[in-house]
Amino acid sequence: ADFNYGADEYDAEGNEEPKALPEGSETMPYIDESPTMSPQLSARGQESGDGVSPTPTDGLGTGGERDAGKGLEMRKLVLSGFLASEEIYINQLEALLLPMKPLKATATTSQPVLTLQQIETIFYKIQDIYEIHKEFYDSLCPKVQQWDSNVTMGHLFQKLASQLGVYKAFVDNYKIALETAEKCSQSNYQFQKISEELKVKCPKDSKESHTSVTMEALLYKPIDRVTRSTLVLHDLLKHTPADHPDYPLLQDALRISQNFLSSINEDIDPRRTAVTTPKGETRQLVKDGFLVELSEGSRKLRHVFLFTDVLLCAKLKKTAVGKHQQYDCKWYVPLADLVFPSPEESEHCPQVHVIPDHELEDMKMKISAIKSEVQKEKANKGQSRAIERLKKKMFENEFWLLLNSPAIPFRIHNRNGKSYLFLLSSDYERSEWREAIQKLQKKDLQAFVLSSVELQVLTGSCFKLRTVHNIPVTSNKDDDESPGLYGFLHVIVHSAKGFKQSANLYCTLEVDSFGYFVSKAKTRVFRDTTEPQWNEEFEIELEGSQSLRILCYEKCYDKTKLNKDNNEIVDKIMGKGQIQLDPQAVQTKNWHMDVIEMNGIKVEFSMKFTSRDMSLKRTPSKKQTGVFGVKISVVTKRERSKVPYIVRQCIEEVEKRGIEEVGIYRISGVATDIQALKAVFDANNKDILVMLSDMDINAIAGTLKLYFRELPEPLLTDRLYPAFMEGIALSDPAAKENCMMHLLRSLPDPNLITFLFLLEHLKRVAEKEPINKMSLHNLATVFGPTLLRPSEGESKGHLTLASDIWSHDVMAQVQVLLYYLQHPPISFTELKRNTLYFSTDV
């Protein structure tokens, strides 16, 4: 049945088919068994103006005083049926409220199950609804028990209808409540246990004392209830004489209820049932979302729907304006026939064409540049047409990114032959889909083939059932939605406990940027332990991020399982969880310790956030003895060298053993290792070389970046910064060449020699791009801002919004370095000899 609830679907004759109810709904007596539902008992309605109050004329009608007693008897039957269902409803609300008090009590302790905000969202208005219905029930019950023909109860229904505003608030919050409950149960094992089975008291005359119902099913009850109360009002009116004092009151209550129903009909998005499964159970939507499918060699965005017994892959059909949108089914696989091929079996599958990183980075820059333009237009009260045009462009670019960045394969195989391949950007999401399917497969499922009509009905239901409405790109966000955090998140992954047996364990961290999740950091593997102690710190760049996810894996060393596809993750996920990055909570200077619980495993971590502008400050070192934060001219003079020792040693080590490391310079090294190296270089310790040879190569690369980042003045100097910005913007190639070479020549010797030394090294790194995946463009993105960004005094005018992470300046800084990286080799002596006549004030 299609649950497009509306009182207008209840015909005035009362011969409506009983509706199919969502899973977990009890069949209420008055819907199924009340005599008013059987056609021969119902009053035949004449055409009445509003279709609400038919004047009964025959049958068991109350007209003509002939059978008034019977009519009132019918009222008692309708009311006692309703009362019984009201008792069940109150018990359900009570069951929902039961865990709320203990949850609130733990919220203020050091180990809350949920935050107060989450509790407020999930249980929003339940207490109020409970009190309204308890009062209604307590007032109606004695009237029905001591029934006589003079009983009036219209005022009770009228009062109930007048309190429907509470339901409006509940309905508006319903989707967020469901989503919050779902997220919390994924990230918190205790809450998952609570929400999977809430104990509902059975009616007094029942054999059982309690039944178990899920929180999701109970949260649906209030939505269900409004519709039922409206049906009861129809029935009561039908069997109430027009001159009875209750008649106008019930009419008024029905009018209010109907208006309310039609006003929320557009808003409700319960998980309605589609058609029934072969076993006659209702087929429900369990999960849906957008995934990229690799189909006939090209990437397509699909909306995938997981029902109780079938996975359906659809695409949204293009429709004319104003027409109802529809889905088109591309394929479906009954869950009884669905298997996940192992990596060995998937070797014959199509290889994934991976888009080079630099193309993705380019696109991110474009998107961020458009974002800045939109902000400027808004600030200058620009034309809405111009803003719309920019937003359209931004959507197209974000859509391209969404389609082209995922590279983790998620393979689905139908036992009867065909295989399908999705690409995801997050292993967390891949495991969510896999777990949801496997959970359903534990039930006794049957294989089937859908007839074309059944498939049409099922696909038709997708539009109403879907829970994910928008493609996950930031341009779909409303202006008042949180833009997320921009800057650096420092995370220390401390330890984990709760493993049943020893294993080789590691964690990865994912954050959302540009609307989708990507993996940003990975701890080392802690071998053969039940209590890994990683204590590793990472610095993660946030680009509009709202959540942090932690995944815990068991490392697989089985050679047979490690297949050729380097994006295939064969390690086993032991647990996963996520937390919201709340800007208020995160933006403190201090470390904030937290625990994520996942499948009985607890991972301890700490984090602190540095906003973009804070992390960009160059602070000169107080002491002039070390190398970090000390002017490069001071260091080279002290060392009697042309290039600082730290730069030469780090580059030598990277070239010795890191030049083929995937993501070298892009992947964060462990922050504690970097700090240790920094201390050793600053102290000029004689153990430097030993320490370098033992250290993880990403930490050495990170130390080199940190050295340049902490220079009190950028390597390419504050003085020349504006000139570099103007030079790179020149369009005539000869003029640009002339200017850019002249600027290099204008640098102090230590700066120039060090820059050329680094330049040649980065070119050698990029030659290994097929192996290390680091192109010239990637390297320019990593090093550009580090070598050019002006120091504090100079940059006051440059720093605007924190969200201008890829502001015009940053893009230009990347372009400057890229220009020199793509330039034929530049030699110091040639440069100095070839002094063209060129004015110094560019």
Side-chain angles (χ1 to χ4, degrees), residues 370-379 387 390-391:
I370 296 172
K371 270 189 192 161
S372 300
E373 281 185 60
V374 171
Q375 304 262 289
K376 276 186 203 137
E377 283 285 341
K378 281 184 182 161
I387 293 175
L390 285 169
K391 280 194 170 172

Side-chain angles (χ1 to χ4, degrees), residues 525-581:
V525 178
F526 214 99
R527 294 210 169 201
D528 200 19
T529 179
T530 53
E531 294 206 356
Q533 301 281 333
W534 293 290
N535 293 318
E536 289 184 64
E537 185 185 331
F538 301 96
E539 180 184 80
I540 295 172
E541 190 165 10
L542 301 184
E543 299 167 297
S545 311
Q546 295 179 325
S547 305
L548 168 73
R549 290 172 168 176
I550 297 188
L551 293 96
C552 193
Y553 290 90
E554 178 179 358
K555 180 77 182 158
C556 161
Y557 289 110
D558 180 348
K559 289 280 184 287
T560 58
K561 287 190 178 159
L562 300 172
N563 79 328
K564 302 177 192 75
D565 184 348
N566 62 0
N567 283 304
E568 187 78 62
I569 299 167
V570 293
D571 299 336
K572 181 180 168 200
I573 294 182
M574 304 297 283
K576 61 186 192 330
Q578 79 172 10
I579 54 157
Q580 293 303 104
L581 297 174

Side-chain angles (χ1 to χ4, degrees), residues 289-305:
F290 288 97
L291 294 181
V292 173
E293 186 189 11
L294 197 64
S295 166
E296 293 162 2
S298 65
R299 292 166 177 254
K300 309 274 190 217
L301 190 68
R302 305 287 193 221
H303 199 149
V304 182
F305 295 86

Side-chain angles (χ1 to χ4, degrees), residues 82-351:
F82 183 57
L83 209 53
S85 73
E86 190 72 4
E87 185 194 343
I88 294 173
Y89 180 49
I90 288 168
N91 290 346
Q92 290 165 341
L93 293 172
E94 235 167 21
L96 253 185
L97 288 170
L98 198 62
M100 191 168 89
K101 284 195 182 75
L103 283 172
K104 272 190 173 164
T106 68
T108 49
T109 65
S110 59
Q111 292 210 313
V113 179
L114 301 183
T115 63
L116 283 170
Q117 174 77 52
Q118 288 167 334
I119 296 168
E120 178 59 33
T121 305
I122 295 170
F123 298 97
Y124 187 64
K125 295 292 178 197
I126 302 284
Q127 183 72 43
D128 297 0
I129 292 174
Y130 170 76
E131 283 163 12
I132 289 167
H133 282 268
K134 186 82 177 79
E135 186 190 339
F136 172 76
Y137 179 85
D138 291 345
S139 312
L140 184 62
C141 196
K143 288 180 180 288
V144 176
Q145 281 166 350
Q146 292 134 31
W147 182 259
D148 70 41
S149 58
N150 300 322
V151 162
T152 59
M153 42 66 207
H155 59 290
L156 297 178
F157 278 93
Q158 194 183 29
K159 185 176 179 186
L160 190 63
S162 71
Q163 293 168 309
L164 281 172
V166 175
Y167 275 90
K168 174 76 177 123
F170 174 85
V171 169
D172 289 344
N173 181 66
Y174 173 70
K175 258 182 74 178
I176 307 162
L178 264 195
E179 282 166 17
T180 308
E182 205 166 300
K183 273 186 191 154
C184 293
S185 67
Q186 280 170 6
S187 59
N188 190 303
Y189 188 64
Q190 276 172 285
F191 183 67
Q192 185 184 354
K193 279 273 163 281
I194 295 168
S195 60
E196 273 174 0
E197 38 186 88
L198 291 166
K199 298 275 182 278
V200 179
K201 262 194 313 206
C202 290
K204 301 179 190 76
D205 51 1
S206 166
K207 291 192 192 80
E208 308 291 318
S209 66
H210 287 84
T211 55
S212 284
V213 187
T214 66
M215 184 172 285
E216 186 181 7
L218 288 180
L219 282 172
Y220 178 79
K221 299 298 174 195
I223 287 180
D224 216 15
R225 195 70 200 159
V226 186
T227 316
R228 293 174 181 213
S229 312
T230 312
L231 294 178
V232 163
L233 285 167
H234 269 285
D235 288 348
L236 279 174
L237 262 176
K238 198 181 302 166
H239 300 294
T240 301
D243 56 358
H244 191 285
D246 273 347
Y247 195 83
L249 300 177
L250 290 172
Q251 233 179 343
D252 191 42
L254 181 62
R255 180 185 55 77
I256 296 170
S257 303
Q258 280 180 325
N259 288 342
F260 174 74
L261 267 186
S262 55
S263 78
I264 64 165
N265 236 358
E266 284 72 51
D267 311 340
I268 307 182
D269 190 3
R271 305 208 163 172
R272 309 167 176 125
T273 40
V275 279
T276 51
T277 66
K279 295 171 77 177
E281 294 159 354
T282 48
R283 177 176 286 145
Q284 288 198 297
L285 178 66
V286 177
K287 180 175 173 60
D288 68 305
F290 288 97
L291 294 181
V292 173
E293 186 189 11
L294 197 64
S295 166
E296 293 162 2
S298 65
R299 292 166 177 254
K300 309 274 190 217
L301 190 68
R302 305 287 193 221
H303 199 149
V304 182
F305 295 86
L306 174 61
F307 290 95
T308 325
D309 63 341
V310 62
L311 185 75
L312 184 138
C313 175
K315 75 166 213 186
L316 203 54
K317 281 202 264 195
K318 286 198 166 75
T319 47
V321 182
K323 279 273 170 66
H324 227 33
Q325 279 188 301
Q326 282 297 321
Y327 281 98
D328 204 0
C329 174
K330 302 308 288 180
W331 51 264
Y332 71 89
V333 180
L335 298 190
D337 292 330
L338 187 152
V339 282
F340 300 112
S342 63
E344 313 81 281
E345 295 168 320
S346 60
E347 282 189 8
H348 324 297
C349 291
Q351 278 305 299

